[in-house]
């Protein structure tokens, strides 16, 4: 049998007490340089978990460890444990089956050189969906969930690269959703998106969290404040503080460095 059968089941029983992602003693190195140092935290099911922090804090590296990008990144060494639905991501034999369950959206839209339709139909086809009618349903549903359907429904056969930057980023989100992930990792998705589109995507994310769990890495502390249920503050590879988002913005903030950062006094 294929390796897939030995990987954890795609739809594990829900366990309210178990975190969606549990990170313990996570240390990430590139060669001799430490990018993340002994980070432990939990990400709960159906929350938006924000990660804020200045450049070079290890935010992107943290996301890479969750979906095992270290397997494809030269020199990247991961220590500690990342449990996804209770299973160590390093025990997945078939990384494709892990990554089907974890959608990723990068800072800049990364479109496939395909039509709008085919960008979204690509993953379902790979997963074995053959019938055009079934693909049509998936494509429409994903484009609607990414708040893009109305703008592209008459140009599904146009190249994705001909859409505006903000539309391409929503197409990237639609594509990430097309594999029916139960965890979505967003890395500064709004860096190349205008403020109006950013707000539209934020509304999409607030809706999506009813269905899936979202990790939102953002340079914009106010974006974390608007969206995230809980937030971690990373600084130069250290997880300085993690708690309910409002705590980081209140007098209950635990660490003076967090306060300084959210008040815009550095970074
Ligand atoms: N592929 C790589 N090879 C070598 N070093 C890397 C690699 N990727 C990241 N690093 C280093 O790891 C450290 C943390 O980088 P990371 O991209 O995780 O930070 P970040 O918080 O996402 O920063 P930014 O806000 O600028 O995106 C940096 O010093 C960076 O140079
Ligand atoms: Mg980054």
């Amino acid at each position: 049998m294929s390796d897939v059968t030995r990987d954890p089941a795609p739809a594990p029983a829900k366990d309210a007490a178990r975190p969606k992602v549990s990170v313990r003693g996570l240390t990430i190195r590139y060669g001799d340089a430490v990018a993340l140092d002994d980070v432990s935290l939990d990400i709960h099911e159906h929350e938006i978990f924000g990660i804020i922090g200045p450049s070079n804090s290890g935010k992107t590296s943290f996301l890479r460890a969750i979906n095992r990008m270290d397997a494809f990144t030269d020199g990247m060494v991961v220590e500690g444990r990342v449990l996804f639905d209770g299973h160590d991501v390093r025990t997945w034999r078939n990384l494709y089956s892990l990554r089907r369950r974890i959608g990723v959206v990068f800072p800049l839209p990364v479109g496939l050189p395909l039509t709008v339709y085919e960008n979204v139909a690509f993953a379902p086809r790979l997963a074995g969906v053959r019938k055009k009618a079934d693909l049509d349903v998936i494509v429409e549903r994903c484009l609607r969930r990414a708040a893009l359907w109305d703008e592209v429904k008459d140009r599904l056969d146009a190249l994705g690269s001909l859409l505006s930057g903000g539309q391409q980023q929503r197409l990237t989100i639609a594509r990430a959703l097309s594999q029916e992930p139960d965890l979505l990792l967003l890395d500064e998705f709004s860096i190349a998106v205008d403020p109006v589109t950013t707000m539209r995507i934020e509304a999409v994310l607030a809706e999506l969290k009813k269905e899936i769990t979202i990790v939102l890495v953002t340079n914009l502390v106010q974006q974390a404040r608007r969206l995230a249920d809980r937030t971690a503050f990373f600084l130069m590879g250290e997880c300085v503080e993690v708690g309910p988002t409002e705590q980081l913005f209140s007098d209950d903030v635990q660490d003076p460095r967090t306060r300084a950062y959210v008040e815009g006094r550095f970074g």
Side-chain angles (χ1 to χ4, degrees):
M1 288 302 287
S2 79
D3 285 336
V4 182
T5 55
R6 285 182 244 167
D7 286 329
K14 295 272 182 285
D15 177 349
R18 187 178 64 195
K20 189 74 190 169
V21 180
S22 188
V23 172
R24 292 292 174 272
L26 182 65
T27 294
I28 299 174
R29 293 193 180 81
Y30 298 96
D32 293 336
V34 176
L36 207 63
D37 189 14
D38 195 15
V39 169
S40 297
L41 54 82
D42 288 337
I43 297 166
H44 303 153
E45 182 117 44
H46 295 297
E47 75 174 345
I48 297 184
F49 185 85
I51 301 178
I52 58 173
S55 195
N56 192 26
S57 297
K59 306 183 296 295
T60 298
S61 300
F62 178 85
L63 297 185
R64 284 190 189 131
I66 294 179
N67 85 336
R68 291 295 324 275
M69 264 186 269
D70 54 299
F72 307 94
T73 308
D74 281 345
M76 180 174 175
V77 175
V78 176
E79 289 165 18
R81 297 212 300 167
V82 177
L83 303 182
F84 175 55
D85 279 338
H87 301 280
D88 192 322
V89 293
R90 273 189 273 179
T91 63
W92 253 268
R93 289 156 171 270
N94 183 322
L95 286 188
Y96 179 69
S97 75
L98 173 70
R99 283 149 160 249
R100 266 188 65 188
R101 298 179 52 197
I102 304 178
V104 188
V105 175
F106 295 104
L108 297 173
V110 192
L112 300 171
L114 297 170
T115 64
V116 171
Y117 184 98
E118 291 299 333
N119 259 282
V120 186
F122 189 82
R125 265 196 227 283
L126 269 186
V129 182
R130 292 276 174 272
K131 284 194 197 140
K132 171 88 166 69
D134 294 341
L135 288 168
D136 286 354
V137 169
I138 295 170
V139 168
E140 178 171 344
R141 187 175 67 229
C142 294
L143 288 170
R144 282 191 186 281
R145 287 167 84 198
L148 185 58
W149 173 252
D150 288 340
E151 289 165 54
V152 300
K153 63 177 188 286
D154 298 324
R155 44 199 294 221
L156 295 175
D157 292 330
L159 276 177
S161 55
L162 297 180
L163 300 179
S164 75
Q167 289 172 331
Q168 286 186 50
Q169 190 58 303
R170 278 175 286 160
L171 183 59
T172 309
I173 292 174
R175 210 175 68 228
L177 295 175
S178 73
Q179 7 168 46
E180 300 280 340
D182 40 53
L183 177 66
L184 186 62
L185 310 177
L186 294 147
D187 194 356
E188 294 177 31
F189 74 87
S190 59
I191 216 162
V193 178
D194 66 84
V196 173
T197 303
T198 295
M199 296 312 275
R200 291 194 62 182
I201 297 176
E202 287 189 10
V204 168
L205 298 179
E207 274 298 306
L208 274 178
K209 82 166 181 177
K210 293 176 190 159
E211 301 166 39
I212 61 178
T213 306
I214 297 173
V215 182
L216 174 77
V217 164
T218 178
N219 268 335
L220 309 171
V221 293
Q222 291 306 327
Q223 183 168 71
R225 191 173 193 180
R226 285 192 294 272
L227 282 178
D229 301 288
R230 293 185 309 129
T231 295
F233 171 53
F234 284 13
L235 180 63
M236 293 177 69
E238 179 189 351
C239 177
V240 171
E241 179 161 357
V242 52
T245 303
E246 271 314 308
Q247 177 182 303
L248 275 60
F249 291 86
S250 76
D251 288 341
D252 295 330
V253 65
Q254 308 278 306
D255 192 293
R257 292 171 294 174
T258 312
R259 179 186 288 265
Y261 184 70
V262 302
E263 288 179 354
R265 284 190 271 123
F266 72 89

